[in-house]
Amino acid sequence: MGKPVVAVAAALVVLCSLFSPGVAMADTAEPSSGGALVRCEYIPTPDKPAAKPVRPPFPWTLARGTVTVTLHTNHGKVVMELDRAGAPCAVHNLAHLAWSRFYHDTQCWRLTDYERLGVLQCGDIFAAEIGGPGYRFADELTGAETYPRGTVAMGNQGPDTNGSQFFLVHSQALIPPAYTVLGRVTHGMDVLDKIAAGGIIPGANEHDGEPRLPVHINRAAVRY
């Protein structure tokens, strides 16, 4: 009974891709084995509507392979290799938002340089923690997540509140395994180092605030 269900699901992905610009062609391939295709649930958040026009991703995606997303910033390119196997729904979501131009002309509002937490947080449209895609989705965690230098992970405001926010680790992040790991930075760590070295405009804490060198994402490009 499993094979017909997978085949039907894959056919639905193909059909939807013809009409939905948020689905990439890489998501239309029928898996060679049962487990490669997964269903994701993107739940509307009426109390937090989309900050920019965007539809939720199509719910079916692959759980294998990688996706490359390149952030073209005012300081240079940051290339991220995202692993579908580790977090298929989160990778599908970030690629969809990049493809949909949700991250175009946005700003990374938060930089931290604590000894135990050094990250650049991006993906919020209006300010840190404000301005998401109008939906949320569940964490994808094993409980063994770590966040060394170069890690790309989802930001959240509590369990299962993922949306458009993500962070890039420029030093290390010794934090609980509560944030879905998307992948890693493969090019552009020098860009993150430059941003971190520029310092922080202190907020409530001198180690946490807006980057003193403003960080603008001019556009985000996706390669499957």
Side-chain angles (χ1 to χ4, degrees):
M1 295 297 292
K3 289 185 178 180
V5 172
V6 170
V8 170
L12 287 173
V13 176
V14 173
L15 180 62
C16 185
S17 71
L18 299 176
F19 300 99
S20 174
V23 178
M25 290 305 294
D27 288 337
T28 66
E30 184 174 350
S32 59
S33 61
L37 193 66
V38 298
R39 180 177 176 83
C40 308
E41 186 176 13
Y42 301 102
I43 303 168
T45 53
D47 58 323
K48 296 180 179 179
K52 296 175 72 174
V54 69
R55 292 183 294 179
F58 187 66
W60 290 98
T61 190
L62 293 177
R64 64 183 184 192
T66 59
V67 178
T68 300
V69 175
T70 301
L71 305 177
H72 294 264
T73 81
N74 56 319
H75 299 289
K77 292 192 299 185
V78 177
V79 181
M80 307 180 295
E81 183 180 271
L82 310 181
D83 182 10
R84 291 178 184 269
C89 296
V91 171
H92 182 47
N93 172 71
L94 193 142
H96 166 79
L97 291 176
W99 198 95
S100 301
R101 301 186 177 185
F102 187 84
Y103 295 124
H104 283 33
D105 300 317
T106 60
Q107 188 165 341
C108 298
W109 297 101
R110 185 184 181 197
L111 179 67
T112 68
D113 67 355
Y114 296 100
E115 182 179 349
R116 297 175 57 87
L117 178 64
V119 305
L120 176 68
Q121 180 176 300
C122 307
D124 299 310
I125 302 305
F126 301 129
E129 315 293 342
I130 303 175
Y135 59 83
R136 62 179 177 85
F137 61 96
D139 300 321
E140 294 169 282
L141 301 169
T142 67
E145 284 76 15
T146 59
Y147 310 90
R149 173 175 163 86
T151 298
V152 182
M154 293 298 300
N156 63 50
Q157 297 178 44
D160 302 324
T161 59
N162 302 286
S164 58
Q165 185 186 109
F166 61 95
F167 62 85
L168 312 172
V169 181
H170 62 77
S171 59
Q172 62 179 348
L174 302 179
I175 53 179
Y179 304 90
T180 299
V181 174
L182 292 158
R184 60 192 180 91
V185 174
T186 57
H187 176 81
M189 287 304 302
D190 58 325
V191 174
L192 297 182
D193 291 340
K194 174 185 175 183
I195 293 167
I200 294 169
I201 300 173
N205 188 297
E206 63 177 337
H207 296 286
D208 189 339
E210 288 189 32
R212 196 172 293 278
L213 299 176
V215 181
H216 298 281
I217 299 175
N218 299 320
R219 63 187 180 92
V222 186
R223 186 175 76 249
Y224 292 91

